[in-house]
Amino acid sequence: IEEVEALSSIYGDEWCVIDEASRIFCIQISNDIGDTKLTACLQVILPSDYPSSSPPIYQINASWLRGLQRVTLANSLEEIYVENVGESLLYLWVETIREFLREKSQSAGAEEESGGVNLTTEEDVDNDEENDDEELPDFRTVKMNTEYVHPFMNHESDGEVPPVKHGSIITDRRSTFQPHLAPVTEPGQVKMVLDKLYGNKKIASATHNIYAYRIFCEDRQSFLQDCEDDGETAAGGRLLHLLQILDVRNVMVVVSRWYGGILLGPDRFKHINNCARGVLVQEGYTSSAEEATTPGGKGKKTRSKKAK
């Protein structure tokens, strides 16, 4: 409570309480550098045992933050958590993200002065696709009936990297979508799969790598599940919702999108989910394409694949 009060006092209007009872907050962070202003929104859920035992569950929303840059920032936040286990760390996280924004602006500004690539600011990013008439999922309800877990925090795995399968490509107006699937039975494997995918230069260069996963814990009869938009607002929540509708388990789906310069509007969500359905059918997680496209269809529970 003291930490939240302090953050509210420090950041003023930048700090927003989404749901005080559920301990859900967000803060708008900017680099405060003149014409090269970049912003990011940090959304956090504070578990009941934070800060003594668990880190915050977080999501960073920023259209320009993609690929390896997102992984680099996530690793920085993880290091802060490891160095400050048991202590309040939201202020450190916020200022680390702010410094990351400053460094990005300064390095891009230097490239511009030397004749390199121009800086792409938050205002320059194509946001038209995010302004659809469709209602976006509520951040507070996307992960209901879930045991909260963050794959980058305190969940290492010593086993082999789960096998990754790649699905069929969908192309529309020069945008390309491709799904990837891996069996996962523990949160540490999620990070291993992401590291493996980002080791592929083509996948790492994608405009967005949206993912969702569901892990069934038989001993507690509950799910560990999470999702990530990677700059494609609301796409991760929609993908997780698809996995929930199909009732698939012990699986992770990543959909890569390479933006082709033409806005697709709501069609982009259709392509992302169709990609995901296709690879789930391909790998036997749901029995048929018809079942995978039927609202409320349960999908195939039995053949939950395990990492070797």
Side-chain angles (χ1 to χ4, degrees):
I1 293 174
E2 291 177 355
E3 181 182 20
V4 169
E5 290 178 348
L7 292 170
S8 177
S9 175
I10 293 170
Y11 297 115
D13 293 339
E14 292 182 338
W15 178 260
C16 176
V17 178
I18 296 177
D19 187 332
E20 188 170 11
S22 300
R23 297 155 64 102
I24 303 176
F25 309 92
C26 71
I27 179 169
Q28 192 78 12
I29 307 168
S30 65
N31 59 355
D32 300 325
I33 301 181
D35 296 333
T36 58
K37 184 176 182 180
L38 288 174
T39 63
C41 180
L42 173 67
Q43 296 174 318
V44 295
I45 301 174
L46 303 181
S48 58
D49 55 354
Y50 166 82
S52 59
S53 303
S54 297
I57 298 96
Y58 76 92
Q59 178 170 304
I60 301 174
N61 293 326
S63 313
W64 53 268
L65 183 61
R66 303 165 185 155
L68 292 176
Q69 287 186 337
R70 182 176 287 274
V71 173
T72 299
L73 182 54
N75 288 340
S76 297
L77 301 186
E78 177 181 2
E79 290 175 2
I80 291 173
Y81 170 68
V82 171
E83 293 171 358
N84 298 273
V85 171
E87 300 178 11
S88 300
L89 50 76
L90 287 183
Y91 176 79
L92 294 175
W93 273 13
V94 171
E95 292 309 309
T96 295
I97 295 171
R98 195 186 305 279
E99 184 60 29
F100 184 86
L101 302 186
R102 289 178 181 145
E103 290 177 358
K104 177 176 171 60
S105 295
Q106 290 169 352
S107 61
E111 288 184 3
E112 184 177 8
E113 289 180 3
S114 62
V117 178
N118 290 334
L119 174 66
T120 300
T121 67
E122 183 75 11
E123 289 74 17
D124 296 327
V125 176
D126 287 320
N127 289 321
D128 297 56
E129 291 196 336
E130 299 176 7
N131 296 324
D132 300 325
D133 293 332
E134 292 184 278
E135 184 177 352
L136 299 180
D138 188 330
F139 175 75
R140 293 166 291 180
T141 60
V142 166
K143 304 170 190 173
M144 289 179 66
N145 302 320
T146 301
E147 289 192 26
Y148 291 112
V149 61
H150 196 283
F152 298 109
M153 296 297 185
N154 221 20
H155 290 282
E156 296 298 329
S157 179
D158 297 326
E160 295 182 6
V161 180
V164 178
K165 302 294 184 179
H166 308 283
S168 300
I169 291 173
I170 294 176
T171 301
D172 181 10
R173 284 164 281 180
R174 298 207 301 264
S175 277
T176 300
F177 301 80
Q178 183 179 26
H180 322 282
L181 178 150
V184 292
T185 56
E186 57 183 80
Q189 292 177 326
V190 174
K191 183 177 188 300
M192 294 169 68
V193 170
L194 290 173
D195 288 344
K196 181 176 181 177
L197 288 173
Y198 278 117
N200 181 304
K201 291 183 179 180
K202 180 180 178 182
I203 295 174
S205 69
T207 314
H208 312 287
N209 282 300
I210 304 112
Y211 72 80
Y213 68 89
R214 298 186 85 212
I215 299 172
F216 184 65
C217 305
E218 293 188 10
D219 55 340
R220 295 190 292 273
Q221 291 296 298
S222 62
F223 284 92
L224 295 175
Q225 54 189 10
D226 204 348
C227 59
E228 171 59 50
D229 295 337
D230 195 23
E232 186 72 284
T233 303
R238 291 168 186 253
L239 183 56
L240 178 57
H241 184 56
L242 175 69
L243 302 187
Q244 292 169 336
I245 289 174
L246 299 179
D247 197 18
V248 295
R249 53 191 65 188
N250 298 336
V251 66
M252 173 182 185
V253 176
V254 182
V255 178
S256 301
R257 179 193 181 184
W258 291 267
Y259 177 57
I262 300 174
L263 301 178
L264 302 185
D267 284 349
R268 70 194 189 279
F269 296 121
K270 177 183 69 177
H271 297 323
I272 290 167
N273 275 13
N274 283 343
C275 275
R277 289 189 189 101
V279 77
L280 286 166
V281 171
Q282 171 188 307
E283 297 304 313
Y285 283 87
T286 187
S287 58
S288 68
E290 289 76 15
E291 181 180 341
T293 55
T294 301
K298 284 294 184 181
K300 203 168 188 180
K301 300 182 188 179
T302 53
R303 291 180 58 190
S304 300
K305 303 192 174 185
K306 295 182 180 179
K308 296 180 180 180

